[in-house]
Amino acid sequence: MARSLDVILVVDLESTCWKGSPPPEQTSEIIEIGLCTVDLGTLTRTEKRSFLVKPVQSEISDFCTELTTLTPDMFADAGTLADAGKILKKEYRSKDRLWASWGDYDRRQFERVCKDLCVGYPFGPSHLNVKSLFAAATGIGHEVGLDGAYKQLGLELKGTHHRGDDDAWNIAQILCRLLKTMRIGGNA
């Protein structure tokens, strides 16, 4: 099947994390998949969604809750990574669409956790690193965090930083802005 370039799936992951190294017998795993769809015809954000993923190889630490606002009790009815992958493939045609994230962490984390859990990788081979694109397009000479990019653009992050759906929404805003600039010429 040919690659579909009608929509870009902007993804941001939140994973279990600790102030230092993971405790024995635990490993960082995906606990939230934030998604924002970008319509490539209009260069607008069209949907924002969060998939909570029940951790199976780790527990949500106090540090993780402080960073993400995700608490262990929020995962009582959460699905599995396989469940989220099925939704991404069926409802969003993730195997056939370009997907994007802020940096390569999300891509590498998805690949590693899917392999560790023997879950099918839900995306095709095309990934867009918006962090690198932003650095190259603005000529700043180095990559910056999402909050740094927003400061450079004179914008304010919307929602809660380090929540998957809000971060995906904010990443998509920068992506739309860069793509609009490329189409019409001028400054980001």
Side-chain angles (χ1 to χ4, degrees):
M1 180 179 260
R3 177 94 32 235
S4 179
L5 290 174
D6 58 338
V7 171
I8 295 178
L9 305 176
V10 179
V11 173
D12 185 77
L13 301 180
E14 301 306 327
S15 296
T16 51
C17 55
W18 301 267
K19 193 165 191 149
S21 298
E25 312 291 322
Q26 294 193 44
T27 185
S28 177
E29 65 184 306
I30 297 165
I31 55 174
E32 183 184 25
I33 303 167
L35 174 71
C36 178
T37 54
V38 171
D39 181 302
L40 280 172
T42 61
L43 294 179
T44 57
R45 299 173 289 179
T46 54
E47 182 180 355
K48 175 179 160 182
R49 188 166 179 187
S50 171
F51 301 91
L52 293 183
V53 177
K54 188 176 289 200
V56 294
Q57 297 180 316
S58 61
E59 295 175 4
I60 298 169
S61 68
D62 291 341
F63 174 80
C64 189
T65 296
E66 288 173 26
L67 183 67
T68 65
T69 72
L70 295 167
T71 61
D73 61 315
M74 294 170 73
F75 293 85
D77 297 322
T80 65
L81 184 60
D83 295 334
K86 287 176 188 170
I87 294 168
L88 288 169
K89 288 186 269 189
K90 183 176 180 183
E91 293 182 26
Y92 297 95
R93 296 179 29 227
S94 60
K95 283 284 195 184
D96 304 319
R97 288 189 164 130
L98 176 63
W99 75 284
S101 64
W102 192 260
D104 275 331
Y105 169 83
D106 299 83
R107 180 185 57 78
R108 288 191 316 267
Q109 181 74 338
F110 241 120
E111 289 171 350
R112 184 188 64 76
V113 174
C114 285
K115 183 179 178 188
D116 288 353
L117 298 178
C118 299
V119 170
Y121 183 68
F123 298 105
S126 299
H127 172 259
L128 177 63
N129 180 333
V130 182
K131 186 179 195 178
S132 294
L133 178 63
F134 179 79
T138 58
I140 59 175
H142 56 71
E143 293 180 343
V144 296
L146 184 57
D147 52 345
Y150 261 71
K151 284 179 188 162
Q152 183 172 337
L153 294 172
L155 300 173
E156 195 172 310
L157 290 168
K158 303 292 184 208
T160 302
H161 192 30
H162 299 299
R163 278 303 304 266
D165 57 342
D166 289 335
D167 282 352
W169 185 257
N170 289 318
I171 294 163
Q173 176 66 19
I174 290 177
L175 179 59
C176 288
R177 191 171 176 141
L178 291 172
L179 293 175
K180 285 176 185 173
T181 300
M182 292 174 74
R183 287 186 184 177
I184 61 172
N187 296 325

